């Protein structure tokens, strides 16, 4: 099993560790509900160093990104980040990822840990543009400082004005005395905050600095279990659960990052799918009966016919409801549609609701 | 951890408190810590007579679902209804207010097959 630069730190802090995407990762510290609320109302820190990072450089970098990305990277400017997926040639999704434009000829791509090798190979295969590629995943640490008090917690560690950074932007700065740290206003929790990228050898120094600086804000380490409940309350897709090699970006609700203003892998088929109308749609639902939906449970229509599968489900700590995501036929995807979830031997009433489940005050 | 010598235990991390032919059953403190925050306890077997090892209910944590197994055979007499609205009681007081069911045992000799505190301590250490 691979370690992040901070795996031992998590063990020392009493975290419950699990293997995730081949890495020893903290799944929980004090308890998932408590950690979840810390991020919603205060500030918490996730070690997400297992994520993959690729540097793309050269005049062909943008061409390569435009070819593999569903989104239009031409719209990026220096210091801007963009969410997108990597479509495959058969209608599915290779990964979802972030593109950071450092400069016109230099980009950082951030991908899911479980897909690093698959994505890298795909990029290599598509690199007919003489783009210089470097996989810096193993040398790069990533901390996500998330929550409404995130800026206050870490402002003293840098000269850049964190409160002034718009959503989905980034700056390279000196952070906690370390030069060339990339700070971005991204994250996957729906509670705001920052993601901080730096070389592994600075991990302990930056971790300590963040916790010292954030002490007065009640900063706490947060495990991956709370990361999952936080993202699910926002209706954000998790690769491997809600999206995968066989799910359509359009059916997954990623049409907003699928831009037909340019050519990219499978664009023609996806455009045809859009014009002909999608067959299924990923929807959010909440249970009306008591119970909890889980990945893989069947979704049933009111006539008793199986119409789809739950892709993610949990008891949402902030919304205090049993919530889930799943694919249903497009005709049954309207807000308010009554559906049933097969939970063990029972069919529990549920209804399609608008995403996100959680709305910040 | 202080395991009460007055209780019996199972390999499935349940505890059993015996009073005559009535057994009160819950999950151990070790089990609740392993499961994490309990968000739902579903027990719909009240009134049913079940064999040892049969499933009498389900306990759900944020991330996981686990079946609850009868440690002894008998009739499920009562379910701790307080857990319906406050399942987290299992986390807070696994050996006390977090109890799950009371069972009228049909064969008290089955108790001899259960673990004592010492054997259970060895299992979880």
């Amino acid at each position: 099993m691979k370690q992040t630069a901070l795996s031992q730190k998590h063990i020392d802090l009493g975290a419950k560790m699990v293997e995730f995407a081949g890495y020893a990762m903290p799944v929980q510290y004090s308890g998932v509900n408590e950690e979840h609320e810390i991020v919603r109302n205060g500030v918490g820190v996730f070690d997400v160093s297992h994520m993959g990072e690729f540097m793309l450089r050269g005049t062909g970098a943008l061409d390569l990104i435009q070819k593999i990305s569903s989104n239009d990277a031409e719209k990026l400017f220096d210091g801007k980040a963009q969410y997108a997926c990597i479509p495959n040639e058969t209608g599915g999704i290779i990964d979802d990822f972030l593109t950071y434009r450092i400069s016109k000829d230099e980009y950082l791509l951030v991908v899911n840990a479980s897909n690093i090798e698959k994505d890298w190979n795909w990029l290599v295969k598509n690199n007919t543009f003489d783009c210089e590629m470097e996989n810096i995943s193993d040398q790069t640490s990533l901390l996500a400082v998330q929550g409404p008090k995130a800026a206050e917690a870490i402002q003293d560690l840098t000269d850049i004005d964190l409160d002034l950074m718009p959503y989905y932007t980034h700056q390279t700065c000196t952070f906690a005395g370390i030069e060339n740290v990339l700070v971005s206003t991204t994250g996957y929790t729906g509670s705001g905050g920052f993601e901080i990228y730096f070389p592994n050898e600075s991990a302990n120094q930056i971790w300590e600095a963040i916790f010292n600086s954030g002490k007065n804000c009640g900063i706490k380490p947060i495990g991956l279990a709370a990361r999952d409940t936080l993202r699910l309350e926002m209706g954000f897709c998790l690769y491997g659960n809600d999206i995968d090699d066989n799910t359509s970006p359009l059916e997954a609700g990623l049409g907003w990052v699928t831009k037909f203003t340019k050519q990219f892998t499978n664009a023609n088929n996806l455009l045809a799918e859009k014009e002909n109308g999608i067959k299924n749609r990923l929807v959010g639902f909440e249970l009306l009966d008591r119970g909890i939906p889980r990945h893989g449970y069947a979704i049933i229509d009111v006539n008793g016919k199986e119409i789809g599968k739950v892709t993610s489900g949990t008891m949402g700590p902030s919304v205090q409801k049993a919530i889930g995501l799943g694919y249903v036929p497009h005709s049954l995807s309207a807000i308010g549609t009554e559906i049933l979830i097969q939970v063990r031997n029972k069919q529990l009433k549920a209804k399609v609701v608008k995403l996100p489940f959680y709305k910040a005050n | 951890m202080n395991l009460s010598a007055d209780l019996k235990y199972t390999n499935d991390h349940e505890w059993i408190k015996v009073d005559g032919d009535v057994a009160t059953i819950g999950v151990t403190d070790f089990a609740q810590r392993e499961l994490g925050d309990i968000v739902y306890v579903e027990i719909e077997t009240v009134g049913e007579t079940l064999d040892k090892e049969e499933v009498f209910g389900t306990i759900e944590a944020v991330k996981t679902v686990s079946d609850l197994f009868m440690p002894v055979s008998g009739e499920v007499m009562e379910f701790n209804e307080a857990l319906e609205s406050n399942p987290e009681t299992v986390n807070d007081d696994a050996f006390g207010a977090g109890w799950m069911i009371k069972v009228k045992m049909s064969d008290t000799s089955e108790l001899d097959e259960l673990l004592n505190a010492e054997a259970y301590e060895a299992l979880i250490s």
Side-chain angles (χ1 to χ4, degrees):
Chain A
M1 203 180 344
K2 286 172 125 173
Q3 311 283 313
T4 77
L6 293 162
S7 289
Q8 189 57 47
K9 178 76 73 185
H10 306 310
I11 294 166
D12 294 345
L13 288 168
K16 187 171 166 182
M17 303 294 285
V18 294
E19 180 172 345
F20 183 81
Y23 289 82
M25 300 301 291
V27 67
Q28 174 183 314
Y29 291 86
S30 60
V32 53
N33 287 336
E34 185 180 324
E35 292 167 35
H36 180 109
E37 290 305 327
I38 287 167
V39 174
R40 284 279 182 257
N41 303 312
V43 54
V45 181
F46 302 84
D47 177 14
V48 279
S49 301
H50 57 314
M51 302 284 286
E53 293 88 7
F54 306 151
M55 288 302 308
L56 270 53
R57 298 187 184 92
T59 50
L62 180 61
D63 291 331
L64 176 57
I65 294 165
Q66 288 292 63
K67 183 174 173 193
I68 60 111
S69 175
S70 62
N71 210 334
D72 191 349
E74 191 90 55
K75 298 278 193 289
L76 286 166
F77 48 85
D78 294 355
K80 180 68 182 164
Q82 184 181 69
Y83 177 73
C85 68
I86 306 176
N88 64 23
E89 288 163 326
T90 53
I93 300 172
I94 292 172
D95 202 0
D96 62 335
F97 76 113
L98 290 177
T99 302
Y100 292 91
R101 176 165 148 163
I102 313 286
S103 69
K104 188 168 71 68
D105 294 329
E106 187 174 18
Y107 298 81
L108 168 68
L109 269 49
V110 182
V111 304
N112 282 298
S114 52
N115 292 331
I116 292 173
E117 196 183 340
K118 181 174 73 165
D119 294 351
W120 179 259
N121 291 339
W122 181 253
L123 284 165
V124 168
K125 189 178 156 189
N126 281 279
N127 185 12
T128 53
F129 307 99
D130 206 22
C131 166
E132 181 196 327
M133 294 169 48
E134 187 185 2
N135 182 353
I136 59 168
S137 304
D138 285 346
Q139 299 88 52
T140 306
S141 292
L142 169 56
L143 293 176
V145 181
Q146 298 280 296
K149 293 183 181 169
E152 184 188 342
I154 59 172
Q155 181 60 72
D156 286 350
L157 300 177
T158 176
D159 288 337
I160 57 176
D161 195 332
L162 297 173
D163 270 330
L164 291 183
M165 286 179 72
Y167 192 49
Y168 264 69
T169 62
H170 60 92
Q171 290 192 47
T172 300
C173 62
T174 298
F175 187 90
I178 310 288
E179 289 176 9
N180 289 318
V181 173
L182 189 150
V183 175
S184 70
T185 41
T186 52
Y188 220 52
T189 62
S191 284
F194 303 88
E195 292 187 297
I196 303 166
Y197 298 81
F198 50 88
N200 289 348
E201 52 268 26
S202 302
N204 279 296
Q205 185 177 335
I206 288 186
W207 176 275
E208 295 300 335
I210 287 173
F211 279 87
N212 282 330
S213 171
K215 205 179 292 169
N216 292 337
C217 295
I219 199 165
K220 290 280 187 314
I222 311 293
L224 292 183
R227 188 172 171 81
D228 192 46
T229 53
L230 287 158
R231 70 93 194 165
L232 184 48
E233 282 188 339
M234 295 306 296
F236 295 155
C237 289
L238 175 63
Y239 195 89
N241 279 42
D242 312 300
I243 51 176
D244 59 34
D245 293 299
N246 299 309
T247 56
S248 153
L250 302 173
E251 293 192 349
L254 298 180
W256 67 283
V257 292
T258 306
K259 301 286 170 59
F260 299 105
T261 48
K262 51 133 205 183
Q263 264 301 321
F264 59 96
T265 309
N266 208 35
N268 293 343
N269 289 330
L270 290 172
L271 183 59
E273 184 185 355
K274 183 182 177 183
E275 285 170 350
N276 295 332
I278 54 175
K279 289 193 182 67
N280 297 299
R281 183 73 164 84
L282 185 69
V283 295
F285 62 85
E286 62 181 52
L287 284 199
L288 305 174
D289 289 333
R290 285 175 63 82
I292 299 169
R294 304 284 182 182
H295 178 82
Y297 286 5
I299 304 177
I300 317 277
D301 70 12
V302 289
N303 301 315
K305 181 171 168 260
E306 180 171 337
I307 52 169
K309 294 276 191 206
V310 176
T311 54
S312 288
T314 195
M315 178 65 82
S318 299
V319 299
Q320 282 294 307
K321 284 175 183 165
I323 55 172
L325 299 174
Y327 287 93
V328 298
H330 190 253
S331 59
L332 294 173
S333 66
I335 306 301
T337 305
E338 286 183 23
I339 54 175
L340 299 160
I341 309 297
Q342 184 78 45
V343 178
R344 294 181 286 281
N345 57 350
K346 285 190 295 191
Q347 295 183 350
L348 303 183
K349 278 192 200 127
K351 71 169 181 189
V352 176
V353 298
K354 196 170 188 298
L355 294 172
F357 299 104
Y358 172 80
K359 288 168 200 76
N361 299 326
Chain B
M1 189 198 318
N2 260 334
L3 287 171
S4 170
D6 296 337
L7 304 180
K8 295 279 195 179
Y9 303 87
T10 72
N11 289 315
D12 298 317
H13 307 288
E14 290 161 339
W15 57 263
I16 300 94
K17 185 177 159 196
V18 178
D19 182 10
D21 63 351
V22 174
T24 303
I25 294 160
V27 299
T28 64
D29 195 58
F30 175 84
Q32 70 78 14
R33 272 190 291 124
E34 285 297 302
L35 288 165
D37 291 342
I38 308 297
V39 291
Y40 188 43
V41 178
E42 181 184 81
I43 295 168
E44 299 181 324
T45 47
V46 174
E48 292 180 28
T49 299
L50 300 173
D51 286 336
K52 179 179 166 148
E53 305 287 325
E54 274 195 90
V55 174
F56 71 83
T58 314
I59 184 168
E60 300 210 27
V62 174
K63 295 289 282 180
T64 56
V65 189
S66 305
D67 284 332
L68 296 162
F69 298 98
M70 291 287 278
V72 290
S73 305
E75 183 190 345
V76 181
M77 302 160 59
E78 190 183 344
F79 156 54
N80 182 0
E81 286 175 14
L83 299 183
E84 285 202 329
S85 45
N86 296 99
E88 64 277 11
T89 306
V90 179
N91 294 113
D92 299 339
D93 189 8
F95 288 119
W99 68 275
M100 291 182 176
I101 55 170
K102 289 184 197 280
V103 172
K104 190 173 168 62
M105 291 182 283
S106 50
D107 180 3
T108 52
S109 73
E110 286 175 349
L111 292 168
D112 299 338
E113 299 159 34
L114 301 178
L115 306 176
N116 62 20
E118 199 182 351
Y120 183 65
E121 180 82 59
L123 178 74
I124 61 175
S125 55

